[in-house]
Amino acid sequence: MIASGLARAGRGAALVAALAAGLWAPPTSAETIESALVKAYQNNPQLNAQRASVRSTDEGVPQALSGYRPRVTVTGSLGEQFTDTTAKTISGQPPTTPGGPVKNIATYTGTSGTITPWVYGITGQQTLFNGFQTANRTRAAEGQVSAAREGLRVLDQTVLLNAATVYMDVLRDTANLEVQRNNVRVLEETLRQTRDRFNVGEVTRTDVAQAEAQLAAGQSAMLAAESTLTTSKANYRQIIGVEPANLAPGSPVDRFAPRALPAAIDQGLAENPNVTAAMHGVDVAFLQVKVNEGALYPTFVVQAAAQQASYPSISIPITWTASLIGTLTVPIYQGGTEYSLIRQSKESLSQQRLNLDQVRRQTRQQVVQAWGQVEATKAQVQAAQAQVASSEVALNGVREEARVGQRTTLDVLNAQQALVNARVALVTAQHDRVVASYSLLSAVGRLSPQTLRLPTPVYDPTVHYQQIRDSWIGVRAPDGR
């Protein structure tokens, strides 16, 4: 009796195992891992914020290029001016007697009036030489743009890897919950039949207690699996932007990865965006040294100005002036600040070079680790499949032996639990197998929509850069804001 009841429940467990192993053919409307990655790539707010940050960094190039361009200002003034002037005139009169003193007589005259003076002028200034600071600032700004793009690639890979991970987390936890639910159904059937056998005297109270204890443990495991699945669904919603529903099985992406570990290491050191971003950081630090050294060079500036004024004084009705002046400034000593900045920037350059060495070592370690995980998970899947098959055979044998009295209820319960553990291990191994393949692609710098051939437009940061690089005027962003 117990063997036949457990056999019926076992057929349900076999179906759960097939679902967990990805052998079930999903309906055409199922969500695939590729479509989930597309949603994350298009709608993830963290990724969109990083794209806006790159566009902001682009503006550093036209700001640096402004050093090549002239600066023009227009000035003007208009007002009322009241003038009241009193003038004193001294005149001498002849003496009244021959040889007498000359008499001076003061005469006072006054003028007053109101005038409307106005002045307007234009001034243009062009820097012809500033120690190559403008050229080096421009190259440094371009290096910062390149580093920002690599930072965007880092986040692209992070978001895609996180999306693939949470997708597989939901699949794993859903399958695990089904395994635990089916286990509870089997244990409930076992407990019912054990009580029936106890009532007819075939087993003892100990057998009933053992079945009850195993059922309680199974229910606890089922509740824990429900909690884990709820957490995974929340993570899925946070990263991908929608609730998970009807997910299709995922598969590894080994076909996009290098075939050998040495090739993977070489590719990681050449293409991993963390490495390339650090390389651009070295370039920017080197150019900053050159910018600071430019403060020691002379500067030459040409200034042209024109001005017209009405009534600069009450007696002059109008004036017009124009000038063209070249100014050469040779720094001699400015307190030592410029020398300190040069030394400081050289230390920053050394720091960036050491950071590059550290990033390269970290990247190599990540590639080797990811490669090892891929190889290990391949073996783990095979071992877990063999474990499931053997556990199923063992459970069937224990049930048959229990039917003829050669095994106890506890033996059947232990064999059932071993099969459940094997199925959970298989589900976990298949999850780790897929996630490890995506991790390897990320480590070598190839986890991108282009490599995965995702059906989505790829964000191109160079479009915005070309739109604003040579802009002289305008406050509107290219998107119309």
Side-chain angles (χ1 to χ4, degrees):
M1 293 177 60
I2 185 171
S4 61
L6 292 177
R8 290 193 298 271
R11 287 193 291 270
L15 176 60
V16 172
L19 293 175
L23 302 178
W24 172 65
T28 56
S29 60
E31 176 86 280
T32 65
I33 191 170
E34 289 79 11
S35 60
L37 294 180
V38 168
K39 291 176 181 177
Y41 181 76
Q42 292 177 344
N43 304 318
N44 186 276
Q46 184 182 10
L47 188 54
N48 287 327
Q50 187 66 23
R51 291 165 181 165
S53 176
V54 173
R55 293 194 294 270
S56 175
T57 305
D58 289 344
E59 295 291 347
V61 176
Q63 291 170 13
L65 288 172
S66 66
Y68 288 121
R69 300 165 186 164
R71 286 167 170 76
V72 181
T73 58
V74 175
T75 59
S77 63
L78 175 67
E80 293 287 338
Q81 178 177 336
F82 174 76
T83 303
D84 187 355
T85 304
T86 300
K88 178 181 179 182
T89 303
I90 305 296
S91 61
Q93 292 186 351
T96 55
T97 59
V102 177
K103 185 177 182 181
N104 294 326
I105 299 176
T107 303
Y108 294 91
T109 59
T111 59
S112 63
T114 301
I115 59 176
T116 305
W118 49 263
V119 178
Y120 69 87
I122 183 171
T123 303
Q125 179 176 304
Q126 175 66 57
T127 300
L128 299 182
F129 182 76
N130 62 353
F132 309 104
Q133 293 185 63
T134 299
N136 289 322
R137 286 194 180 103
T138 301
R139 293 167 59 196
E142 292 171 342
Q144 290 172 343
V145 169
S146 298
R149 292 176 183 173
E150 295 307 303
L152 178 59
R153 283 186 59 212
V154 171
L155 193 57
D156 282 345
Q157 293 201 146
T158 300
V159 169
L160 291 176
L161 178 58
N162 290 342
T165 301
V166 297
Y167 185 96
M168 295 306 300
D169 287 349
V170 173
L171 280 178
R172 175 199 61 195
D173 298 337
T174 300
N176 182 41
L177 178 58
E178 290 302 316
V179 170
Q180 299 299 339
R181 284 175 175 171
N182 185 76
N183 183 47
V184 169
R185 289 192 292 267
V186 172
L187 293 175
E188 288 174 344
E189 178 69 13
T190 301
L191 177 60
R192 184 188 66 80
Q193 295 186 12
T194 302
R195 285 173 175 170
D196 291 342
R197 297 179 66 194
F198 172 73
N199 291 333
V200 298
E202 294 184 3
V203 297
T204 66
R205 179 61 186 167
T206 301
D207 295 289
V208 176
Q210 290 172 340
E212 290 174 341
Q214 198 73 6
L215 175 59
Q219 291 172 336
S220 176
M222 182 184 69
L223 294 174
E226 288 178 349
S227 175
T228 302
L229 178 59
T230 299
T231 301
S232 296
K233 287 182 176 180
N235 294 336
Y236 186 101
R237 178 66 176 82
Q238 188 265 329
I239 294 174
I240 297 178
V242 297
E243 294 293 338
N246 198 19
L247 303 186
S251 59
V253 288
D254 296 336
R255 60 190 181 278
F256 302 123
R259 298 301 180 186
L261 178 57
I265 293 175
D266 292 341
Q267 190 172 70
L269 295 178
E271 298 184 19
N272 188 292
N274 289 300
V275 175
T276 51
M279 293 172 65
H280 289 301
V282 173
D283 294 337
V284 172
F286 173 77
L287 291 168
Q288 189 59 48
V289 174
K290 296 300 181 182
V291 170
N292 291 334
E293 288 177 346
L296 302 178
Y297 288 79
T299 60
F300 183 68
V301 179
V302 174
Q303 178 175 300
Q307 178 178 288
Q308 187 171 3
S310 172
Y311 287 103
S313 66
I314 195 169
S315 60
I316 302 176
I318 192 168
T319 61
W320 186 88
T321 59
S323 63
L324 179 63
I325 301 173
T327 303
L328 176 66
T329 303
V330 180
I332 302 300
Y333 185 72
Q334 298 170 305
T337 302
E338 65 277 21
Y339 301 107
S340 176
L341 289 174
I342 293 171
R343 296 192 302 269
Q344 184 182 45
S345 58
K346 287 182 177 180
E347 294 297 338
S348 297
L349 174 59
S350 299
Q351 178 187 9
Q352 292 298 324
R353 286 171 173 165
L354 294 172
N355 287 340
L356 175 58
D357 291 339
Q358 177 65 14
V359 170
R360 283 172 172 162
R361 293 186 180 186
Q362 290 176 346
T363 299
R364 189 184 188 283
Q365 181 269 332
Q366 291 170 358
V367 172
V368 174
Q369 179 181 355
W371 186 274
Q373 289 174 342
V374 169
E375 295 300 315
T377 53
K378 289 179 182 178
Q380 287 171 354
V381 170
Q382 294 177 352
Q385 290 172 339
Q387 182 183 3
V388 169
S390 299
S391 297
E392 289 175 346
V393 172
L395 177 59
N396 292 331
V398 170
R399 285 172 178 167
E400 290 299 324
E401 293 172 357
R403 186 176 62 84
V404 296
Q406 295 180 350
R407 292 281 184 170
T408 66
T409 301
L410 180 60
D411 294 330
V412 175
L413 293 174
N414 289 339
Q416 171 64 23
Q417 186 60 45
L419 178 58
V420 170
N421 294 340
R423 286 170 176 164
V424 171
L426 176 58
V427 169
T428 302
Q430 290 174 329
H431 163 277
D432 295 344
R433 173 76 177 87
V434 176
V435 172
S437 67
Y438 279 90
S439 297
L440 178 58
L441 276 187
S442 176
V444 300
R446 298 198 62 191
L447 185 56
S448 65
Q450 300 95 315
T451 300
L452 299 176
R453 300 170 187 170
L454 299 180
T456 179
V458 178
Y459 179 80
D460 186 1
T462 63
V463 173
H464 177 268
Y465 176 79
Q466 296 299 334
Q467 289 173 334
I468 58 92
R469 185 184 191 280
D470 297 316
S471 296
W472 284 49
I473 59 174
V475 296
R476 286 187 177 275
D479 61 2
R481 289 176 289 128

